[in-house]
Amino acid sequence: MKAVQVIDFGGPEVLQIIQTDIPQISENELLIKVVATSVNFADIKARYGNYHNAGRPPFIPGLDVAGFIIEVGSNVKDFAVGQRVIAFPKNGSYAEYVVVDKNLVFVIPENVDFDTAAACPIVSFTSYKLLADVARLQPGETVLIHAASGGVGTTAIQLAKLLGAGDIIGSVGSEHKIPIALEAGANYVISNEKEDFVNIVNKITKGHGADVILDSIAGSVFEHSLKCLAYYGRLVNFGNASGRSGQINSNDLHSSCRSILGFSFGTTRNKRPEQLKETASRILEYLSAGELIMKIDKQYSIDEVQAAHAWVESRKSTGKVILKF
């Protein structure tokens, strides 16, 4: 089969097309023929050796796929050959065939196409977990979403609205990304290159602050977010795209009853995969009903994987980047 391998840590040039054997499944696994996979920022970090679940080169990168089931293990009862599914594979997704644990496979509704399915798993599952389960978003609460024009950002905006949020505020890295977050449904969008998001959030909320803040950037964005987090608010960190950790003072928490929370989709997938069944059910219902729209920025063939990574790494992408076989 054809696959993409990271041959060394480094830039997009370390991604090489290889031919390798189709993997074998165990009794609790399925074999899936991949139609499309997505490029996630975690793939960029893994390529540089900065992602906590990444292996040492050589390895096949990638986190999620959409495709057909072509083989089912003897202990797998709920799936059949030929079904269209999304899945989180065992050893990377940039390959024509992948092996998946039976707990990490979910059937695609008939009216959802493969491009949409390939764009959804990481960003939509992550967004739902962040808002519904970690932050415990309540109806009417104000939500601030950093990096609001990206794949998670545009998805989280939509899901926050579906879950009953009040005002949804997005922050973006540059002014040209503002329309993307507005199109996704944000009520307000702040350009961090020209504006101070703390002052604007506090002005919008009349000093109350945001009840829920989603932060994948860390560093100074994480630290400054505390200055616009409401009493009893929840700040959820799920990444460090800035490359720097954020520091907090414990005195900023107890008297205001605020919470700092962390989430990793990779850890949840590996340690508690059973938690994803309800998430999958809700996300696939939203997609089937047309209530959740996946923003797809660009599509590339698997042979163009270096260009796809370069585009995502440029931070000019808005929405999801898809690789197709």
Side-chain angles (χ1 to χ4, degrees):
M1 69 173 184
K2 179 185 287 188
V4 175
Q5 195 172 72
V6 175
I7 60 171
D8 196 3
F9 290 135
E13 70 278 359
V14 305
L15 297 166
Q16 299 294 320
I17 303 293
I18 63 167
Q19 290 291 327
T20 188
D21 293 336
I22 295 174
Q24 303 296 307
I25 65 170
S26 74
E27 58 189 8
N28 292 312
E29 296 174 334
L30 302 91
L31 185 65
I32 294 171
K33 174 70 171 69
V34 177
V35 173
T37 181
S38 68
V39 179
N40 293 285
F41 200 76
D43 303 344
I44 309 298
K45 295 183 68 177
R47 200 187 69 227
Y48 282 110
N50 296 326
Y51 184 59
H52 63 97
N53 283 326
R56 303 285 307 176
F59 65 89
I60 296 173
L63 299 173
D64 52 10
V65 299
F68 294 99
I69 297 173
I70 63 168
E71 188 178 349
V72 176
S74 59
N75 281 351
V76 178
K77 306 302 180 186
D78 297 330
F79 299 97
V81 171
Q83 285 181 305
R84 301 187 320 138
V85 294
I86 56 174
F88 302 99
K90 187 176 179 180
N91 293 311
S93 65
Y94 293 16
E96 283 187 276
Y97 296 89
V98 296
V99 172
V100 184
D101 182 272
K102 65 182 181 180
N103 292 312
L104 294 172
V105 182
F106 311 96
V107 176
I108 302 169
E110 290 185 4
N111 64 336
V112 175
D113 62 61
F114 270 125
D115 289 347
T116 297
C120 94
I122 289 291
V123 295
S124 61
F125 283 41
T126 298
S127 297
Y128 185 85
K129 293 293 289 183
L130 289 169
L131 291 164
D133 297 339
V134 181
R136 305 177 308 283
L137 177 65
Q138 300 300 306
E141 288 188 319
T142 297
V143 180
L144 169 62
I145 300 169
H146 293 301
S149 66
V152 171
T154 55
T155 307
I157 289 169
Q158 295 178 72
L159 287 173
K161 184 165 290 189
L162 289 168
L163 291 169
D167 281 335
I168 301 169
I169 306 168
S171 83
V172 295
S174 57
E175 198 167 15
H176 79 275
K177 294 183 177 182
I178 289 176
I180 304 299
L182 288 172
E183 182 183 357
N187 301 100
Y188 307 91
V189 183
I190 303 160
S191 170
N192 289 331
E193 68 178 355
K194 291 189 174 182
E195 302 170 296
D196 180 348
F197 75 83
V198 172
N199 289 336
I200 295 176
V201 170
N202 284 328
K203 182 177 180 181
I204 290 170
T205 61
K206 297 180 171 57
H208 175 82
D211 300 293
V212 171
I213 301 178
L214 303 186
D215 165 44
S216 61
I217 302 172
S220 62
V221 169
F222 174 85
E223 294 163 352
H224 292 158
S225 291
L226 282 169
K227 300 175 183 178
C228 59
L229 183 64
Y231 275 60
Y232 298 93
R234 288 85 68 203
L235 169 55
V236 187
N237 174 258
F238 61 104
N240 66 332
S242 69
R244 186 174 78 81
S245 298
Q247 305 296 317
I248 64 168
N249 188 324
S250 61
N251 290 336
D252 290 330
L253 302 179
H254 70 273
S255 62
S256 60
C257 300
R258 299 183 296 180
S259 301
I260 306 296
L261 301 156
F263 179 75
S264 163
F265 185 83
T267 300
T268 303
R269 181 190 61 208
N270 293 331
K271 301 289 187 181
R272 298 185 178 181
E274 68 281 356
Q275 291 187 0
L276 299 180
K277 290 184 178 180
E278 180 186 353
T279 301
S281 176
R282 296 298 301 273
I283 291 299
L284 293 170
E285 286 176 5
Y286 288 141
L287 287 173
S288 181
E291 296 176 308
L292 176 62
I293 306 298
M294 301 311 303
K295 168 66 175 176
I296 298 175
D297 180 33
K298 290 191 176 186
Q299 299 184 31
Y300 295 85
S301 76
I302 197 66
D303 296 318
E304 301 172 305
V305 63
Q306 291 185 2
H309 267 235
W311 177 245
V312 173
E313 193 171 352
S314 75
R315 298 185 186 273
K316 296 178 182 178
S317 60
T318 55
K320 292 295 296 180
V321 171
I322 303 299
L323 292 172
K324 303 186 78 169
F325 282 89

